[in-house]
Amino acid sequence: MANVTVIGAQWGDEGKGKIVDWLASRADVVVRFQGGHNAGHTLVIDGKTYKLSLLPSGIVSGTLSMIGNGVVLDPWALRDEVAKIEAQGVAVNADNLAIADNCPLILPLHRDLDGLRETAAGKGKIGTTGRGIGPAYEDKVGRRAIRVCDLAHLDSLEPQLDRLCAHHDALRAGFDQPPVDRAALLEELREIAPFVLRFAQPVWKRLKKVRKAGARVLFEGAQGVLLDVDHGTYPFVTSSNTVSGAAAAGSGLGPSSTGYVLGIVKAYTTRVGSGPFPTELEDDVGQRLGTRGHEFGTVTGRKRRVGWFDAVLVRQTCAISGVTGIALTKIDVLDGLDVVKICTGYRLRGNVYDYLPSHAADQAECEPIYEEMEGWQGSTAGARSYADLPAQAIKYIQRVQELIECPVALVSTSPERDDTILMRDPFED
């Protein structure tokens, strides 16, 4: 039986949390493999809402959950999140949570630098969450990061602090800020170390062991392919690779183990922050979709931009990430519309494109070419069978999979875990 890799196939916020939670009940292990606490996954189980950022979504269902080496970890944010979810009755301990000991840490100085840069950028802002994600990844590839394993060796951290502070002190001076307070940083690390170290271990080794024993692994991505640092709408992207291939490097299990790739796709399109958005709606329809879909960021609370479904983008992300099948979410938000539209191409300076060009200026000028379909007045909300869907909703789903050249495996009809229509089983396919 296959492992499953779950990724967002748009700009994030596609409903990955619910789908991963639904799949996690049938998996043995859930692994986060990239991103940081800029991710936001909302789970609704028996009417109770859980909001996660760092913890893998499987933690709520009691599934063994792992944070892989591809994640940048803010240990203080993790402690706060664990405390919050434990207050909701979810147990978090060394038996059900493992953190890769080679995972890089997000430090207070990373948050500082993130905010300083974004404030100074003016019109060049890219919409960062300000949580230090980008600077932490920079230090990782710059070979000056402090990692989880270093928390067990704080008395010998001075050479690493020399490298780290030489870099950050120069940047801080450029913003007219004082140097890093090394003593304060060390004290903060000493205080948080015992909490993090109780979960730390070689995740790659444990994954190898459970996989050899026949365990089914669910790899959980954060953000979406259109925010991938290589393949997204650069520079309005995140600082990591969000494509399915990152599951191998970010977990240590290897590319042959990533299995079925499930792309999560919203039945319309949203994005948070700056950047191109060809199908964006700034009219009453857009307002309606945003209101009905509760389109506010889980992490930032920022209002999401809303638009029609863009088949061009999803076809592109499915190809780039090798998507086997998609989970179509929030189709119930389209209920009651007289007309629904799907973008099937772009016009750019007199030419028609069947893909999104790489340059930001070209992306910003792309005009959507729409195909209109009759909407449906019946309700899809809470449907758990394909037969329960209105005929026009079924036609919409069928047209989506034709245009993106990828089959629909699941349809989500509400935030509740069990309001899900299974058409193809990712674990059995």
Side-chain angles (χ1 to χ4, degrees):
M1 291 179 284
N3 293 337
V4 176
T5 299
V6 175
I7 58 164
Q10 292 160 306
W11 276 294
D13 308 310
E14 303 95 347
K16 292 183 293 297
K18 172 204 166 158
I19 300 300
V20 170
D21 174 65
W22 188 83
L23 291 168
S25 63
R26 302 168 60 246
D28 301 296
V29 187
V30 180
V31 186
R32 269 286 306 275
F33 59 84
Q34 51 75 221
H37 64 307
N38 54 341
H41 294 168
T42 300
L43 318 180
V44 181
I45 303 170
D46 297 328
K48 195 170 185 178
T49 300
Y50 304 87
K51 294 187 177 183
L52 308 177
S53 292
L54 266 173
L55 291 170
S57 296
I59 199 79
V60 176
S61 61
T63 307
L64 173 60
S65 298
M66 300 187 182
I67 296 175
N69 58 277
V71 174
V72 283
L73 182 86
D74 184 322
W76 298 277
L78 177 68
R79 183 171 61 184
D80 290 346
E81 189 172 323
V82 168
K84 182 177 179 180
I85 201 168
E86 285 185 330
Q88 292 184 278
V90 177
V92 181
N93 51 55
D95 292 327
N96 64 1
L97 178 64
I99 299 174
D101 56 3
N102 55 343
C103 196
L105 297 179
I106 298 176
L107 305 173
L109 54 84
H110 294 128
R111 296 193 296 270
D112 292 345
L113 182 58
D114 211 352
L116 290 167
R117 282 175 170 169
E118 194 74 348
T119 299
K123 293 182 179 179
K125 288 182 180 180
I126 58 173
T128 173
T129 60
R131 282 163 169 73
I133 310 296
Y137 272 118
E138 290 175 35
D139 282 347
K140 173 184 176 178
V141 299
R143 295 167 293 180
R144 53 183 172 264
I146 295 174
R147 302 186 298 169
V148 168
C149 56
D150 294 318
L151 294 175
H153 301 274
L154 292 177
D155 289 337
S156 56
L157 199 63
E158 289 299 327
Q160 288 164 266
L161 284 176
D162 287 342
R163 290 196 301 274
L164 183 70
C165 293
H167 177 77
H168 280 269
D169 286 349
L171 293 173
R172 292 169 70 92
F175 290 108
D176 197 27
Q177 296 295 309
V180 173
D181 187 334
R182 292 171 61 148
L185 175 59
L186 263 174
E187 186 60 33
E188 288 181 280
L189 291 173
R190 290 188 193 283
E191 187 272 333
I192 198 68
F195 171 80
V196 178
L197 289 173
R198 64 187 171 120
F199 303 110
Q201 59 186 272
V203 157
W204 68 268
K205 188 175 182 181
R206 189 165 182 185
L207 276 173
K208 179 183 176 183
K209 181 179 179 180
V210 298
R211 183 61 182 150
K212 190 175 181 179
R216 293 195 290 194
V217 181
L218 182 61
F219 297 93
E220 179 182 13
Q223 290 90 39
V225 176
L226 291 170
L227 294 174
D228 185 277
V229 70
D230 287 308
H231 300 287
T233 49
Y234 193 92
F236 305 100
V237 293
T238 193
S239 300
S240 61
N241 286 113
T242 60
V243 293
S244 61
S251 67
L253 193 54
S256 63
S257 300
T258 50
Y260 187 106
V261 179
L262 182 68
I264 314 303
V265 177
K266 197 176 285 185
Y268 49 102
T269 311
T270 63
R271 82 170 298 174
V272 172
S274 306
F277 189 169
T279 66
E280 184 171 12
L281 294 170
E282 299 185 70
D283 57 8
D284 291 343
V285 175
Q287 181 68 33
R288 170 178 172 157
L289 294 178
T291 300
R292 292 196 63 186
H294 306 290
E295 297 298 348
F296 294 90
T298 302
V299 171
T300 63
R302 288 184 291 182
K303 184 178 179 180
R304 296 176 187 139
R305 299 156 65 190
V306 179
W308 291 117
F309 184 82
D310 193 329
V312 182
L313 289 180
V314 177
R315 183 171 61 242
Q316 185 167 326
T317 58
C318 285
I320 288 168
S321 214
V323 172
T324 315
I326 71 163
L328 192 66
T329 66
K330 288 198 167 184
I331 193 167
D332 53 302
V333 176
L334 300 179
D335 289 356
L337 291 174
D338 295 327
V339 174
V340 290
K341 297 181 181 181
I342 300 175
C343 176
T344 59
Y346 307 125
R347 287 191 182 89
L348 176 61
R349 303 186 196 104
N351 297 311
V352 175
Y353 283 72
D354 62 355
Y355 67 96
L356 187 68
S358 295
H359 198 279
D362 292 336
Q363 293 172 353
E365 291 186 40
C366 282
E367 298 179 6
I369 300 170
Y370 286 120
E371 176 180 301
E372 293 190 3
M373 297 183 67
E374 181 184 346
W376 54 91
Q377 299 306 308
S379 175
T380 64
R384 299 184 180 182
S385 166
Y386 206 53
D388 294 335
L389 298 175
Q392 288 304 128
I394 292 174
K395 289 182 180 179
Y396 183 79
I397 294 168
Q398 291 172 338
R399 187 56 179 150
V400 164
Q401 63 183 359
E402 288 172 2
L403 289 169
I404 67 173
E405 300 173 2
C406 188
V408 175
L410 301 166
V411 178
S412 171
T413 58
S414 94
E416 282 285 351
R417 175 196 283 172
D418 293 329
D419 289 343
T420 305
I421 300 170
L422 178 64
M423 298 167 67
R424 292 176 176 82
D425 191 333
F427 279 120
E428 302 291 344
D429 202 309

